Amino acid sequence: MNRLERRYRRLLWAYPANYRRERSEEIVGTYLDLAGPGRRWPSPADVADLVRGGLRQRLRAAGANDLLPGVRLAALLALTTATFLAGFWAVLEWQSPPAGAGVPAFGPFVSIGAVAWFAWLLAALLTLVAPGRPTRAAVAAAMLLTATTPLVSLVIDVPRPPLYVLLPPVVLGVLALAVDGRLPLAARVLPITAALAGASLDAFWNRPGAYWGWYNWTAEQVLPAAGGALLAVALLLAVGLGIRRDRRGWWTVMVLLTPVGLLNVHPLAGAVDGLASAATRPTYPTMVATAITVGLLGAALLPAAVALRRRQVVPEPVAPCPTCGAHR
Amino acid sequence: MDTPLREPTFLILTALAREPMHGYAIIGEVVGLSDGRLSLRPGTLYGALDRLTDAGLVELDREETVDGRLRRYYRLSPSGDATLAAETERLRRNVEAATARLRARRVQPLAPRTAGGLA
């Protein structure tokens, strides 16, 4: 066994043990057939291919073949929700306080959050005109800008949106990075349509002169409504796809539960505080504790669902060798 | 298996329609069929073959050891044959429809549209 073969075999640890026992000779043999003379290391593309193949095989062994298509569907819904919120907040950002009111602002905008919201709008536009890598890069940039807004606001001393407004788009953005690069036009148009709908809703709701707003009260209304709509759409899709024996929709619901929970941090924390002390509004520590609980539960939910699914799967008997009839 | 088939799946089935093949041969055949546009990597290929086997479109044919390397040959199952035939027919109809429209367009160029009538 030469060094290259040993290195390919090491990478096969990405696969489940029984699959490795059955198929490692065949897979490594094919890699070696394809490797040019003098190659000593697997290429980065080979490493990515083996890790991806191993992950798929582990999901297949757990009976969760539909998980990755479900995550891709969730990514589109997450991106659509994030761009709806960005459209809504972008209009709110223009409604800065009147000059001389003594309220801090960020240039013509209410806060520095405007930068992040415009980045999300760019991501929505790119989903329509340049799907694939440009869209993912724009989503990553928008997500990073949103995540670093509190730090930048601290450094340059300008107002920022509340943390519970910034957190959901960051989590939605992580999911949106999995968005499929080969979406049909009807799907690619969703994020920009949602952004325009969000902007129109805010423009209608907050008519000039009637309101110059800050996020708090508005966010308390909009975020839970967006979370509820996201969950309702995901459930409807899951039921509709389930009728066609397509189970990916339930994985979509599963992965979206964390962002839905974060969009509802305010009412959830309010329920906790209301139960404990009959307070009318949740306290800041309760909201932080609620967000952490939602994040931890969400992170644990998916592995638990995959493990549960694996227990329900009856292992298939290994087929005998078609040439010699031996069972390995 | 979802239809229409994705291009890699279609080309793997097309490769196996000629004769049973092992993984390395399938990769070479897919490169040829796609004019070098699609180059499958082994992790992707064997994942696709597993899915096609689960769906009953591909079967294991035989195993051989060549130069100390194990080679498994895969063949198209009767169900895979029927799926490939149905998909080919669907694509053929699409190509025929598009070809007819393009031909008609070249024979009778569209009249330029005028707004507001002739001045």
Side-chain angles (χ1 to χ4, degrees):
Chain A
M1 186 187 299
N2 64 22
R3 277 188 195 173
L4 181 62
E5 183 174 352
R6 213 169 18 246
R7 283 166 182 152
Y8 274 120
R9 283 187 188 280
R10 211 170 290 147
L11 287 170
L12 282 179
W13 284 99
Y15 285 82
N18 54 354
Y19 188 86
R20 229 168 28 232
R21 271 195 298 277
E22 197 190 333
R23 306 292 290 276
S24 63
E25 298 296 326
E26 185 184 11
I27 297 176
V28 171
T30 309
Y31 272 111
L32 295 175
D33 283 336
L34 289 167
R39 176 177 279 278
R40 294 173 57 195
W41 288 89
S43 70
D46 286 348
V47 175
D49 182 52
L50 276 169
V51 170
R52 213 166 31 226
L55 175 64
R56 282 209 183 100
Q57 196 51 45
R58 284 179 186 276
L59 292 175
R60 178 173 172 255
N65 271 338
D66 302 317
L67 175 58
L68 292 180
V71 169
R72 280 197 286 271
L73 181 56
L76 177 64
L77 296 181
L79 180 57
T80 303
T81 308
T83 54
F84 168 82
L85 292 172
F88 189 94
W89 300 134
V91 172
L92 182 142
E93 283 286 346
W94 285 104
Q95 296 158 7
S96 57
V103 180
F106 177 65
F109 303 111
V110 168
S111 80
I112 195 173
V115 178
W117 308 139
F118 287 121
W120 280 107
L121 297 182
L122 178 66
L125 189 65
L126 283 176
T127 310
L128 178 65
V129 298
R133 200 168 289 175
T135 298
R136 278 194 290 275
V139 168
M143 191 181 68
L144 280 175
L145 282 169
T146 314
T148 53
T149 294
L151 184 66
V152 176
S153 143
L154 194 71
V155 171
I156 62 174
D157 194 25
V158 288
R160 61 163 171 80
L163 290 178
Y164 71 93
V165 171
L166 294 172
L167 187 56
V170 173
V171 177
L172 288 166
V174 173
L175 257 179
L177 286 174
V179 72
D180 199 334
R182 290 162 298 191
L183 290 171
L185 182 63
R188 293 207 316 267
V189 83
L190 285 176
I192 194 72
T193 307
L196 291 172
S200 308
L201 185 64
D202 196 5
F204 175 77
W205 193 357
N206 295 326
R207 289 192 184 90
Y211 180 82
W212 60 265
W214 182 234
Y215 282 89
N216 288 16
W217 183 85
T218 318
E220 287 167 21
Q221 319 305 313
V222 171
L223 295 182
L230 176 61
L231 184 60
V233 169
L235 282 170
L236 282 173
L237 279 171
V239 171
L241 290 168
I243 290 169
R244 291 162 47 191
R245 295 177 176 273
D246 184 341
R247 286 178 310 188
R248 75 186 135 146
W250 296 110
W251 293 111
T252 303
V253 171
M254 194 74 71
V255 295
L256 284 174
L257 283 178
T258 304
V260 167
L262 292 174
L263 286 163
N264 281 283
V265 155
H266 203 275
L268 287 175
V272 172
D273 265 356
L275 286 175
S277 62
T280 51
R281 295 173 80 85
T283 60
Y284 190 74
T286 312
M287 287 182 63
V288 172
T290 306
I292 292 172
T293 308
V294 167
L296 290 175
L297 282 177
L301 200 60
L302 197 60
V306 172
L308 190 69
R309 182 86 191 111
R310 187 186 296 134
R311 290 183 65 172
Q312 293 169 341
V313 172
V314 180
E316 288 179 20
V318 177
C321 168
T323 311
C324 63
H327 285 269
R328 279 173 297 274
Chain B
M1 178 68 50
D2 287 342
T3 50
L5 299 176
R6 298 178 81 161
E7 192 181 12
T9 309
F10 179 79
L11 292 177
I12 290 170
L13 295 179
T14 305
L16 292 175
R18 195 170 68 184
E19 60 181 353
M21 286 181 186
H22 53 75
Y24 179 57
I26 296 172
I27 290 172
E29 193 73 5
V30 167
V31 170
L33 286 166
S34 65
D35 285 335
R37 199 168 35 81
L38 198 64
S39 175
L40 296 174
R41 289 185 181 278
T44 308
L45 171 75
Y46 288 112
L49 285 172
D50 289 337
R51 281 195 299 280
L52 291 169
T53 306
D54 287 350
L57 305 186
V58 164
E59 296 167 341
L60 195 54
D61 187 72
R62 66 184 191 279
E63 290 183 356
E64 284 177 9
T65 303
V66 180
D67 297 334
R69 285 182 196 160
L70 176 71
R71 284 187 165 166
R72 282 197 177 95
Y73 286 74
Y74 298 86
R75 65 168 178 256
L76 205 59
S77 71
S79 169
D81 186 303
T83 302
L84 182 61
E87 183 67 1
T88 307
E89 178 61 17
R90 188 187 68 79
L91 291 171
R92 192 182 60 76
R93 286 184 190 194
N94 286 352
V95 169
E96 277 180 6
T99 308
R101 293 211 171 180
L102 285 170
R103 198 177 296 133
R105 187 183 166 88
R106 279 167 196 143
V107 172
Q108 289 180 309
L110 292 175
R113 290 185 183 181
T114 53
L118 295 172

